Amino acid sequence: MHQSQIDQLRDAPIETPMMIIGGQPVLAISGKTLPVISPIDGQEIAQIPDAGTGDVDLAVAAARRSFEGAIWAGLAPAARKSVLLKWADLIEANALELAVLGVRDNGTEISMAYKAEPFSAIGTIRYYAEAIDKVYGEVAPTGPDTLGMILREPVGVVAAIVPWNFPMMIAAWKIAPALASGNSVVVKPSEMASLTVMRMVALALEAGLPDGVLNVVTGTGAVAGQALARSMDVDALAFTGSGGVGRQLMEYAAQSNLKRVFLELGGKSPHIVFDDCADLDKAATAVVNGIFRNAGQVCIAGSRLIVQRSIHDVFVKKITKLAAKMRVGDPLNMTTQVGALNSELHMQRVLDVITGAHSIETGGERIHADTGGFYIAPTIISGVTEDDLLFKEEIFGPILTVTAFDDEADAIRLANNTELGLAAGVWTDNLSRAHRMVAAVRAGVVHVNTFGGADNTVPLGGYKQSGNGQDKSLLAIDKFTNRKTVWIKL
Ligand code: NAD
């Protein structure tokens, strides 16, 4: 990746984005569209189809037809594997173009998006492609006069509803294991960032995925998303997004066909630093990167710093210095460390949260407003107590709160004093303490002496109200397969 290549792509015209239903590129039946506003400069860069219930029904019907016709599930595993591997290769061949398109759509800095978007999706698709002929049923240890088999079968039609912060990465977390297991899929990206998912689906068809097996509909959550979630013909719904919408999806499932609903929701992840951490500089860098990259719009962002009182002042000084130095701005500049907030509305919500905060160590305001883009300076707010809303609610922006603790028990209590439980970070050089913290902190991912970083071999899932599903790893295949028991009398 070179800056000159990015610059060539930054203003490239965007061909009319089309949904793909039953293998055909289509616009919404109504002809309605939604504007795509780039957070880089607030300018409109494209229009996406604004699907209605009728469009969604067509997509689900196409998926159902392809599933019942067994045009995908009925293929030999090796044939399915080769299509998925080819799909990954095509994404790789178009990686930079996809990365730049995605950044224009959602504002993530390219230094992060390049790896986290196309290359993460490529890795995920290859991982599940390779699993196709390695995950299969079992023969149970029954008595000698019976044969008990446990078969794995695809659930049927899977709907995936994904957010705007890492659209390709998260769409791949759902689509790849669902397709690898033989399902047909309808994906609905966020109306705030749909362009790369639409391109990705087009590339799947180019790779040889049969028509109807993977469909993409775009539009609002309230209409297109709701229609998918209420569909009587969707067997499983895999969702990543906010807790409020997650709750609604469970209601829609209850009111329709009791489809399985898998939720990956928000976080309020604690980053806990003990005074026995040997390398406070390393910890400070991890804390700052752990909240401010992608302007805090990361589900596992370490948004609550919980730091031992004895090192509080020294540590806050270190992170404040680092945060104030971060390069914020044009996300298509390779040296940018913090890109844009996804939309003006989201930026305003984040700014509203800052207003009234007591002790702002750095940041706290919109910057680069002259560009028309949506940028907020990395913001550190100290003296935050457990009772503050700032301590409790996911903000999803470049805001780090700081709370001091006295001893290990206090740190655990603070860390767990949230209804969410997605991730956590612990910094200590005491091995026993590290193990005690791993056991005590109620979160789906606990990092020790590092933050972020993982790969497809390990699951990502939330404790408490951060969700009920698990993306990534072979465990994700369970979401998209039924287990059928076969009981044969010999
Ligand atoms: P969101 O909940 O607003 O939207 C997510 C998706 O749901 C979008 O596609 C949207 O169109 C759709 N949607 C909205 N209302 C709907 C409805 N009534 N019915 C059906 N679909 C509907 O979330 P967002 O703002 O796009 O994303 C940010 C949230 O996602 C944050 O809370 C973040 O923590 C979470 N997130 C979680 C993970 C994880 O792995 N746990 C990863 C990334 C983001």
Side-chain angles (χ1 to χ4, degrees):
M1 177 170 69
H2 295 290
Q3 189 61 49
S4 58
Q5 294 170 296
I6 297 170
D7 291 337
Q8 270 174 10
L9 292 166
R10 67 160 67 228
D11 295 314
I14 297 170
E15 249 181 68
T16 309
M18 308 276 258
M19 303 191 288
I20 294 181
I21 297 180
Q24 299 306 312
V26 292
L27 297 171
I29 299 167
S30 66
K32 283 196 202 156
T33 57
L34 295 169
V36 177
I37 306 296
S38 176
I40 297 177
D41 54 10
Q43 297 298 309
E44 182 176 317
I45 53 170
Q47 302 252 337
I48 52 166
D50 183 10
T53 308
D55 302 282
V56 171
D57 288 348
L58 286 177
V60 173
R64 174 60 58 192
R65 263 196 315 280
S66 70
F67 182 71
E68 299 302 338
I71 58 173
W72 174 244
L75 292 183
R80 277 191 277 136
K81 186 197 284 195
S82 87
V83 171
L84 293 191
L85 290 176
K86 181 147 186 228
W87 184 25
D89 292 346
L90 285 176
I91 295 174
E92 188 165 6
N94 292 278
L96 188 63
E97 185 206 322
L98 280 161
V100 173
L101 182 66
V103 171
R104 292 170 73 189
D105 202 353
N106 82 344
T108 304
E109 57 278 5
I110 188 93
S111 54
M112 179 179 227
Y114 189 56
K115 287 184 228 140
E117 281 284 276
F119 279 97
S120 167
I122 292 161
T124 300
I125 294 166
R126 287 186 179 143
Y127 177 83
Y128 289 106
E130 286 298 344
I132 288 181
D133 52 9
K134 296 176 191 68
V135 177
Y136 43 88
E138 294 162 47
V139 176
T142 57
D145 55 347
T146 51
L147 175 64
M149 297 189 294
I150 307 162
L151 307 184
R152 275 179 183 268
E153 297 184 340
V155 295
V157 174
V158 172
I161 300 182
V162 296
W164 46 258
N165 59 336
F166 294 102
M168 293 186 79
M169 172 171 84
I170 296 173
W173 287 347
K174 324 279 187 202
I175 297 171
L179 290 181
S181 321
N183 297 282
S184 292
V185 177
V186 181
V187 57
K188 195 206 87 65
S190 166
E191 57 273 44
M192 306 311 296
S194 292
L195 299 176
T196 49
V197 176
M198 298 168 93
R199 278 281 291 138
M200 213 175 142
V201 173
L203 291 173
L205 296 193
E206 212 177 307
L209 197 69
D211 290 352
V213 175
L214 177 59
N215 308 272
V216 54
V217 291
T218 55
T220 65
V223 176
Q226 178 167 184
L228 259 184
R230 283 188 183 278
S231 168
M232 294 299 285
D233 221 11
V234 166
D235 300 295
L237 172 60
F239 172 76
T240 294
S242 59
V245 173
R247 267 170 221 278
Q248 282 181 304
L249 298 185
M250 285 192 144
E251 284 181 25
Y252 300 156
Q255 288 158 8
S256 55
N257 64 343
L258 284 176
K259 60 182 66 61
R260 298 178 187 184
V261 180
F262 300 105
L263 304 175
E264 302 296 337
L265 309 173
K268 190 74 183 171
S269 301
H271 212 149
I272 308 156
V273 184
F274 285 94
D275 63 5
D276 59 15
C277 165
D279 192 343
L280 282 185
D281 288 324
K282 198 167 154 202
T285 303
V287 165
V288 162
N289 286 331
I291 176 66
F292 296 128
R293 293 307 305 269
N294 199 15
Q297 302 163 119
V298 178
C299 56
I300 64 160
S303 51
R304 290 184 296 145
L305 171 64
I306 297 179
V307 57
Q308 197 147 17
R309 206 174 299 282
S310 47
I311 53 166
H312 174 278
D313 293 355
V314 172
F315 197 74
V316 170
K317 203 177 265 174
K318 282 183 193 293
I319 55 171
T320 301
K321 204 167 150 199
L322 289 172
K325 272 199 328 218
M326 286 185 107
R327 290 182 296 274
V328 188
D330 178 7
L332 284 174
N333 185 328
M334 275 171 68
T335 60
T336 293
Q337 294 169 296
V338 181
L341 279 287
N342 176 255
S343 69
E344 188 164 14
L345 185 69
H346 183 49
M347 176 183 68
Q348 203 46 57
R349 270 197 218 120
V350 175
L351 289 169
D352 289 348
V353 171
I354 300 172
T355 313
H358 358 260
S359 184
I360 297 180
E361 303 283 343
T362 184
E365 63 197 357
R366 180 179 184 182
I367 53 174
H368 307 318
D370 55 321
T371 62
F374 314 134
Y375 305 94
I376 295 180
T379 301
I380 298 178
I381 303 173
S382 59
V384 173
T385 73
E386 291 169 84
D387 302 323
D388 293 331
L389 267 188
L390 270 171
F391 188 88
K392 298 189 172 138
E393 289 186 0
E394 184 186 46
I395 299 164
F396 220 56
I399 300 185
L400 177 70
T401 65
V402 184
T403 308
F405 71 86
D406 292 308
D407 56 20
E408 197 175 303
D410 197 20
I412 294 168
R413 189 182 50 74
L414 286 168
N416 287 338
N417 190 2
T418 162
E419 286 169 351
L420 302 173
L422 194 56
V426 178
W427 291 81
T428 174
D429 264 33
N430 176 330
L431 183 63
S432 302
R433 166 172 280 162
H435 281 284
R436 286 194 300 271
M437 292 301 291
V438 166
V441 175
R442 306 262 305 137
V445 183
V446 182
H447 306 89
V448 178
N449 295 337
T450 184
F451 197 83
D455 64 28
N456 277 306
T457 57
V458 290
L460 172 64
Y463 275 35
K464 301 196 266 185
Q465 292 183 33
S466 283
N468 63 3
Q470 277 178 330
D471 279 325
K472 311 200 301 170
S473 84
L474 294 181
L475 295 169
I477 292 175
D478 288 347
K479 295 190 293 194
F480 305 114
T481 47
N482 282 321
R483 300 282 171 82
K484 178 181 276 174
T485 294
V486 184
W487 192 252
I488 301 177
K489 179 86 187 134
L490 301 180

